[in-house]
Amino acid sequence: LEAGCSEEALDVACVLATKRTLRRTDRRVKEEQKRLFRDEIVDLDGDHATYVKALRAFRESPHPEQFCSERAMDSGTLRSAERSKPNLERWLSEMAKEDGVVLASCGEDGDSLRKALCAGFFARAARFGADATFRTLRADREIGLHPLSVHAEFGTPPEYVVFCDFGLDADGASVARHVSRCDPRVLIAEAGEYYELR
């Protein structure tokens, strides 16, 4: 709440609460759909910022089903996220009132959202190494990126990331899901003691 991006954090929480993927992955997805998704929706700060952009675009579209179809997005995920928003917003508003904080949007300021994500998911951070793999900071465990992460599909892997959870891929290897770029200075400031870096 203190980062001034509670509206964006709420959108992220709504998408995560669906426990569904944002994009369709079936064989019928065409290159044009992937291109539109990449050009209009993907935010290279990571999956969380991409969720915010997708949900905003979905809300603003006069034809949300068509909008999703043209970009190979799962409209059911975004509809479900929208349905969960009033309850989560009510809960967050009550929490903010108790703490004397006003709910706010950081607009296009990606730094505020990234800082909030780093502070919130500091225990799940990883660094990209010279061997082209991510290793968790605390346990030094190798972890890949989920194939649907924007960092895995649309960009160069960032040096540091935070992630919400992990799962196993088809080969049984650990993969990070819901991944965002993170500034290591924020990790030190927010969780230096956790990583014994202070």
Side-chain angles (χ1 to χ4, degrees):
L1 291 174
E2 293 84 16
C5 58
S6 50
E7 290 294 328
E8 290 74 17
L10 182 61
D11 283 347
V12 168
C14 289
V15 173
L16 293 176
T18 69
K19 299 191 185 312
R20 296 170 58 161
T21 60
L22 177 62
R23 294 188 294 139
R24 292 190 353 255
T25 58
D26 56 60
R27 288 184 169 84
R28 295 173 298 179
V29 173
K30 296 175 178 57
E31 285 304 312
E32 177 63 12
Q33 290 170 300
K34 285 182 182 179
R35 187 194 62 74
L36 281 173
F37 180 78
R38 181 192 67 231
D39 293 350
E40 296 177 9
I41 305 297
V42 166
D43 187 315
L44 292 179
D45 273 347
D47 299 331
H48 302 97
T50 298
Y51 300 158
V52 171
K53 280 181 76 173
L55 202 49
R56 284 180 178 168
F58 179 78
R59 283 184 196 122
E60 293 169 4
S61 174
H63 307 288
E65 298 296 323
Q66 179 182 347
F67 176 84
C68 287
S69 176
E70 290 170 352
R71 289 151 188 83
M73 293 192 304
D74 182 354
S75 60
T77 298
L78 296 172
R79 275 194 316 274
S80 182
E82 282 294 278
R83 280 193 305 271
S84 69
K85 186 168 184 174
N87 289 335
L88 287 173
E89 193 167 34
R90 191 169 31 260
W91 174 80
L92 187 61
S93 294
E94 290 171 11
M95 212 169 88
K97 191 186 311 179
E98 288 173 14
D99 292 346
V101 178
V102 176
L103 296 183
S105 171
C106 58
E108 300 301 314
D109 176 15
D111 289 341
S112 294
L113 179 59
R114 234 184 2 266
K115 182 177 180 181
L117 291 165
C118 288
F121 295 120
F122 69 87
R124 293 202 172 140
R127 181 178 185 181
F128 192 69
D131 63 351
T133 63
F134 279 98
R135 299 198 75 80
T136 59
L137 294 184
R138 181 89 183 238
D140 194 36
R141 179 176 165 192
E142 186 175 323
I143 191 162
L145 297 179
H146 190 282
L148 289 179
S149 170
V150 298
H151 292 305
E153 189 170 357
F154 297 110
T156 308
E159 185 177 7
Y160 287 88
V161 295
V162 291
F163 56 96
C164 293
D165 64 2
F166 58 90
L168 300 175
D169 68 9
D171 299 323
S174 295
V175 291
R177 297 188 299 195
H178 314 294
V179 180
S180 286
R181 183 167 63 92
C182 183
D183 184 336
R185 294 171 297 197
V186 174
L187 285 175
I188 292 169
E190 298 293 330
E193 291 175 11
Y194 181 80
Y195 290 112
E196 300 172 0
L197 297 173
R198 288 190 185 189

